[in-house]
Amino acid sequence: MREGVEADPWPPKEFADEEPVALLDRGYTALRAEFATRAPEDPAAGWYAADRSVGFWIRRMAQETVVHRIDAELAVGRPVAPVPDDLAVDGVDELLKVFVSFAVAEWGEYFGEILDASPGRTFLVRAGGTAWRVRTGPGEFTVADGAGEGPADATLSGPPEAVLRRLWNRTGAGEDDGVTVEGDPEAVEELRRCVVVATQ
């Protein structure tokens, strides 16, 4: 945001020399200061061509924090603190559109093994009262808001936090997360593999 370009290399080499908690504190303080001096619509460099704004980074950092907070809680065996429904719904939206759909469009070669032989499938993802209709096929992963019309090859539905955690593979071992998955197992696996590749 300060320099108007993406950092190269990333992460900067000097980060390796700094104590992790001190680096986190310093980075968080600097990030908050940058957000406080800019409007969400102000321009900011970034990898997502569809939205190079400060608002993109506000959203990205909120979602990054949620997912890695869950990682830390699961790692130490503590209960996972609730994720507000609106934040979880936005996280599902970001994952499907910004991570997977954009990645397939920009770096389709990474998804060739998954999608080249796809017969063309439709998925319905529901997080509480919000839904997305996903369409796949060779070189395709498109996302539309709403349930749309017609049948889906597979449906994944549940409370917003549970759907977010399931898609990000952050469900605790043996945990009944309340997510319902219905439909063709091969279709479910295709969706899962696309998410895994996009979020590596």
Side-chain angles (χ1 to χ4, degrees):
M1 279 180 271
R2 277 196 305 260
E3 298 174 7
V5 295
E6 291 187 71
D8 186 25
W10 184 260
K13 293 177 183 174
E14 62 268 20
F15 280 14
D17 300 327
E18 195 164 350
E19 193 275 323
V21 174
L23 177 61
L24 179 64
D25 286 344
R26 184 171 64 77
Y28 177 69
T29 300
L31 184 64
R32 297 260 327 229
E34 292 300 320
F35 288 159
T37 62
R38 290 171 168 74
E41 62 272 14
D42 286 350
W47 52 266
Y48 183 53
D51 185 3
R52 290 191 169 126
S53 72
V54 171
F56 167 81
W57 287 111
I58 292 170
R59 179 192 205 191
R60 180 81 288 279
M61 292 301 95
Q63 295 300 335
E64 187 85 357
T65 301
V66 165
V67 170
H68 292 305
R69 186 257 293 164
I70 292 169
D71 286 338
E73 290 165 335
L74 291 173
V76 299
R78 294 187 62 179
V80 172
V83 179
D85 284 353
D86 59 344
L87 188 61
V89 166
D90 185 61
V92 173
D93 187 80
E94 185 201 44
L95 175 61
L96 293 174
K97 295 176 183 175
V98 175
F99 278 87
V100 191
S101 185
F102 179 74
V104 171
E106 289 293 309
W107 305 290
E109 64 272 16
Y110 294 108
F111 299 86
E113 185 180 320
I114 304 165
L115 294 176
D116 284 354
S118 174
R121 293 185 168 107
T122 301
F123 305 86
L124 186 58
V125 177
R126 292 184 182 275
T130 305
W132 299 263
R133 194 170 190 86
V134 177
R135 177 80 183 156
T136 63
E140 177 186 6
F141 190 103
T142 57
V143 182
D145 292 333
E149 295 186 9
D153 295 290
T155 301
L156 186 147
S157 59
E161 177 185 335
V163 172
L164 176 71
R165 289 178 59 191
R166 174 70 70 93
L167 288 173
W168 273 105
N169 195 28
R170 264 50 180 205
T171 301
E175 180 182 355
D176 179 6
D177 60 7
V179 173
T180 301
V181 180
E182 301 172 314
D184 178 2
E186 289 185 11
V188 172
E189 179 64 6
E190 180 178 288
L191 177 64
R192 187 196 68 78
R193 290 178 66 204
C194 285
V195 171
V196 167
V197 170
T199 57
Q200 292 190 71

